[in-house]
Amino acid sequence: MTTRYSGPIREAAIHAHSLNAQGFAEDAWLAALLDRCPADLFDINLYDYDAEGQVSLRTGARGRLSGAELLEAIKAGRLWVNIRDAADAAPDLWDAAMAEFARIQKSYPGMKAVTNAGQLILSSPKARVPYHFDPAGVVLFHLRGRKRIFVYPGDEAHLAERDMEQVVARQTTEELPYVRAFEDDATVIDLEPGQALTWPLYAPHRVENLDRFCVSLSMDFQTWPSRWRNGALYTNAVLRGRGGRPRPTDVMQTPELAARWAASLALKRVGGLKSRIAHFERDFEPELGVEDGARALGA
């Protein structure tokens, strides 16, 4: 698979894991987690698509439902719920996932994660996530339901570097410009409980649930090469925003990437670019027995 970063993961691959067998996808465990998690750790989204597959995003508030009720609203609606900071929100799950990650990492000689972070994803049977990329490596641990993952080449045609800059610099969300012709280039994987999926760094992808309530843990990781690359993308975004024409990171060697990473640290300290996605206006909250599992705030 063509990608900008020829790191140890060169193509999408499935690995076995034991997280669902340890009870982390059971209703009782999930409901208790939803009850105890602070509201500010929740991202609750609704994605709407036009005839060409272009997406619009609505964001919701945690709302007043109990954990068990929220779980039922997700099962019956069209919601995509992320619980961020999984290491703090669900330390028992996170410790088990890190053990699984260590085993998977060993299967890729030369791969060395220096940071790990993650989010637990609970999503409705017909939920879909649009075409996007993650500025990190990802292991997607699937625990419940069935998902179909479409993974695309991470080259300029499918992922313009200017779009990468905007995402890394938090000027836009991770969703990318999409055309249906990209489907001819997709690798398609159906993921079952007990399977974990890896794919090349920066490879764009999208997700469709296959008519079942789904639970997954998405674990991000950074290596030193990915940190250097992301720092260079941030620095380039600042330079471009000031009228510059920075060299593409595709043509940079390690010393130049590392120098631009160092520059990004200084730029962030002085507020080189203010995030445009720090605050989304939330316009709904989960509700039982209504369309999409969502009730307009104030209704």
Side-chain angles (χ1 to χ4, degrees), residues 28-266:
W29 188 88
L30 293 169
L33 175 66
L34 294 171
D35 271 329
R36 69 174 182 265
C37 272
D40 61 0
L41 290 185
F42 282 80
D43 293 325
I44 301 180
N45 298 327
L46 273 171
Y47 295 104
D48 296 303
Y49 298 83
D50 66 17
E52 296 303 316
Q54 302 304 310
V55 67
S56 59
L57 168 67
R58 296 167 56 200
T59 60
R62 164 64 177 85
R64 68 197 187 289
L65 297 182
S66 69
E69 290 170 335
L70 177 55
L71 191 60
E72 291 307 310
I74 299 169
K75 290 180 180 180
R78 197 168 53 84
L79 302 172
W80 191 274
V81 177
N82 298 332
I83 301 175
R84 288 177 280 106
D85 298 339
D88 294 327
D92 48 351
L93 168 61
W94 187 254
D95 289 345
M98 284 297 292
E100 298 285 354
F101 176 82
R103 182 181 54 78
I104 292 172
Q105 181 172 243
K106 288 179 181 178
S107 68
Y108 294 103
M111 191 170 98
K112 176 64 175 175
V114 294
T115 63
N116 295 75
Q119 58 188 1
L120 185 65
I121 304 169
L122 283 63
S123 51
S124 299
K126 294 185 179 181
R128 295 185 289 159
V129 170
Y131 186 76
H132 69 286
F133 93 105
D134 299 291
V138 176
V139 180
L140 182 64
F141 294 98
H142 193 50
L143 284 77
R144 182 168 170 176
R146 297 178 64 236
K147 284 186 184 296
R148 179 164 292 164
I149 319 295
F150 300 77
V151 182
Y152 305 81
D155 54 17
E156 183 69 16
H158 297 83
L159 176 60
E161 182 150 314
R162 288 195 181 196
D163 292 329
M164 297 175 72
E165 294 172 3
Q166 294 295 295
V167 171
V168 169
R170 296 181 63 80
Q171 301 302 289
T172 184
T173 56
E174 294 172 348
E175 288 78 37
L176 299 167
Y178 167 82
V179 294
R180 291 198 178 276
F182 289 171
E183 296 310 306
D184 293 338
D185 305 316
T187 298
V188 183
I189 304 102
D190 286 352
L191 209 56
E192 303 284 347
Q195 295 181 328
L197 184 64
T198 58
W199 56 81
L201 181 68
Y202 299 135
H205 49 282
R206 64 182 185 88
V207 184
E208 295 180 357
N209 288 356
L210 297 178
D211 292 321
R212 297 184 190 177
F213 167 66
C214 287
V215 180
S216 303
L217 175 69
S218 179
M219 180 182 287
D220 299 347
F221 64 91
Q222 297 287 357
T223 63
W224 273 111
S226 70
R227 293 184 77 179
W228 293 331
R229 184 68 168 254
N230 288 346
L233 288 165
Y234 183 93
T235 297
N236 280 5
V238 174
L239 294 173
R240 199 180 303 280
R242 296 176 180 176
R245 299 179 64 186
R247 280 163 47 84
T249 62
D250 286 355
V251 302
M252 295 181 186
Q253 299 300 311
T254 296
E256 187 175 3
L257 290 168
R260 298 225 170 184
W261 167 75
S264 75
L265 300 181

